[in-house]
Every structure is written in C-alpha cells, then in structure tokens.
Amino acid sequence: INFADPNLVLINARRANVGTVQVRGIDVQAAAAINTQEAGTFTLGLNGTYFITYKTGEANTPLTERVGDIAFPVRFQARGTAGWRLGGFAIQATLNHVAGYRNTNSTLVPRIRANDTVDLDLSYAFGEDTGNFERNMRFGLNVRNLFNRAPPVADLNNGYDATYASAL
C-alpha cells in the first residue's frame, strides 16, 4: 500500500465500546461439609446474586435503571444445594430460583413470573482398587427440572425466555 497515493481512502469501521454500565449488588457464596464416620459426608451450598441497581447508557447520556427488565439481570437469582456421599454413592438436590421480571417488550405478558426448579444428581464412583476396567469410573444420573415445571410464559417467539428458563 502506498500511503502517499492521493487516491487511497482508508475507512476505520471498528466498533467502539462507548456504553456505560453502573452496577451495585451483593454476591453470596457459602458451602459447608459435615464428615461422619458411619453416615457419610453431608454437604450444603448456597450462591446467589442480588442487584441493588443495574444502570446502562451510552457515553455522555443519563443512565437508565434496567435491573429486572427483560434482557438484563433479574433482581435476585440463587441456587441452593444439599448432598450426601457414602463410599462411592452420592446424591445431590439443587433448588434454582430466578425472581420475576418485567417484559418491557410486551403488553400481552408485561411480567414474567418467578421460576423455581429442582435438579437431582445421583452417582456411583468406583474406587481405584476394584479392577482395571472400573478404576476411576463414575456413573451418574442427572435429572434437570425434576418436577417438570413449565417455564414461565413470555411473549417471545418460543413462548418463554431462554435466558432464565429451559424448555426441558
């Protein structure tokens, strides 16, 4: 390329990230395990996020509060677990919670309800001393949405918001 050529035109069409996001919130994560000699190991866990504010805007413009609006973070989302392990056998139940939020794109379904689902994981892990084929092998059964709860209705192409729910 000859940059001295008067017929040369350069166009810089790169995208620029000029948006602003202001976030305030609380993240929580806790875990505990209780080991017993005869009854196995019991575990509990919790993690969640609570948004106090989630404001967005373009550079040099006033920020708009968007927490709880569709396509933005919900106000509160959490996941709690309880499990038990004895020898190679393990079971864990998980409660998933997503708070309800506004569907600002629809007057037909202006609010998407909260969604709570339960997952269940069962597994058996073979120890290293059970033979060559089974060494370090684990079999598991995972059930997502154990009680077959339908996703909250949303006025979208597929009838639900795939950001916070699953059709499964």
Side-chain angles (χ1 to χ4, degrees):
I1 297 176
N2 179 1
F3 290 102
D5 184 347
N7 296 318
L8 178 66
V9 175
L10 294 176
I11 298 174
N12 181 353
R14 291 180 287 184
R15 292 182 182 243
N17 186 0
V18 294
T20 301
V21 178
Q22 184 184 76
V23 179
R24 286 187 9 212
I26 300 168
D27 287 326
V28 174
Q29 183 171 355
I34 301 169
N35 296 312
T36 67
Q37 290 262 331
E38 296 179 16
T41 302
F42 297 89
T43 58
L44 292 172
L46 173 69
N47 64 55
T49 299
Y50 181 85
F51 282 94
I52 297 166
T53 187
Y54 190 97
K55 296 179 180 180
T56 65
E58 295 181 17
N60 303 318
T61 64
L63 298 179
T64 303
E65 179 61 66
R66 302 309 303 256
V67 69
D69 287 349
I70 194 165
F72 290 92
V74 295
R75 174 84 56 195
F76 179 66
Q77 185 172 2
R79 183 176 173 97
T81 61
W84 172 69
R85 179 180 306 274
L86 180 62
F89 181 75
I91 184 169
Q92 179 173 293
T94 303
L95 173 63
N96 307 290
H97 172 76
V98 175
Y101 53 101
R102 293 177 299 278
N103 186 355
T104 55
N105 299 329
S106 172
T107 55
L108 181 64
V109 183
R111 182 145 185 89
I112 299 171
R113 70 170 165 77
N115 190 23
D116 297 305
T117 59
V118 174
D119 302 335
L120 184 66
D121 296 305
L122 303 167
S123 67
Y124 187 82
F126 294 92
E128 290 191 34
D129 57 354
T130 60
N132 289 332
F133 177 72
E134 299 167 343
R135 183 175 36 221
N136 297 322
M137 187 177 277
R138 179 181 174 267
F139 289 104
L141 172 66
N142 305 30
V143 181
R144 298 292 168 245
N145 194 6
L146 179 66
F147 300 111
N148 197 28
R149 183 164 174 157
V153 174
D155 186 15
L156 299 169
N157 288 340
N158 53 6
Y160 71 98
D161 183 1
T163 303
Y164 291 111
S166 171
L168 305 176

